[in-house]
Amino acid sequence: MTQRDTGPVDAGRGRTDGPGRGEDGRTRAAASARRWLRLFLLALVGALLTTGLVLPWKVIALVLSLFALTAGVVALVKALAAKMPRLVVLTTSIGLVGALFLAVGTGASVLLWPVTKTYEDCMARALTLRAESDCRDGLTRLDGLG
């Protein structure tokens, strides 16, 4: 049996001076960007799916949307550094805007907990369109705040 020659053993060969340098560094940077993009997408979808839940479960949507914002910013920076296609950068930017609106809307619902709770309870009891309209009117008057 013969031993296959894999080339010279040189400790410095194939290594880069730092992250992002050379072909191996670009591959690692792109892989890291893709990982953060996946985390961003999963958090954003999770936040969208949980935003329709009632209190106290609505807090999950707030946490996920805040995590999506954080992961999206990291993903955008890494995508720019890895020189990923412009479409990836554009869609990540649009997703960040969506995550921001989702975080603000859900955050307002959580901050106005008594008003949101009163509205949700009213809508759960409403059997007619008139009753639903009364619930929405109560929401605009901020019923439950004082």
Side-chain angles (χ1 to χ4, degrees), residues 9 17 19-20 29 44 63 65-66 68 80 82 100 130 134 142:
V9 178
D17 293 332
L44 188 58
V63 170
S65 62
L66 291 174
L80 288 170
L100 179 65
R130 175 72 180 145
D134 290 343
L142 298 177

Side-chain angles (χ1 to χ4, degrees), residues 19-96:
R21 300 237 169 116
E23 189 64 34
D24 189 37
R26 273 186 245 130
T27 305
R28 280 192 308 240
S32 177
R34 283 191 298 273
R35 189 173 23 243
W36 279 98
L37 285 167
R38 278 188 217 109
L39 278 173
F40 170 56
L41 182 64
L42 285 172
L44 188 58
V45 168
L48 282 170
L49 291 175
T50 57
T51 193
L53 298 175
V54 295
L55 289 173
W57 305 109
K58 197 177 290 277
V59 175
I60 295 171
L62 179 61
V63 170
L64 285 173
S65 62
L66 291 174
F67 178 74
L69 275 173
T70 305
V73 169
V74 172
L76 184 62
V77 168
K78 287 185 175 281
L80 288 170
K83 296 186 171 132
M84 294 186 91
R86 289 184 186 190
L87 183 62
V88 172
V89 173
L90 178 67
T91 54
T92 304
S93 301
I94 292 170
L96 273 170

Side-chain angles (χ1 to χ4, degrees), residues 6-17:
T6 59
V9 178
D10 185 350
R13 196 172 292 217
R15 291 191 179 173
T16 59
D17 293 332

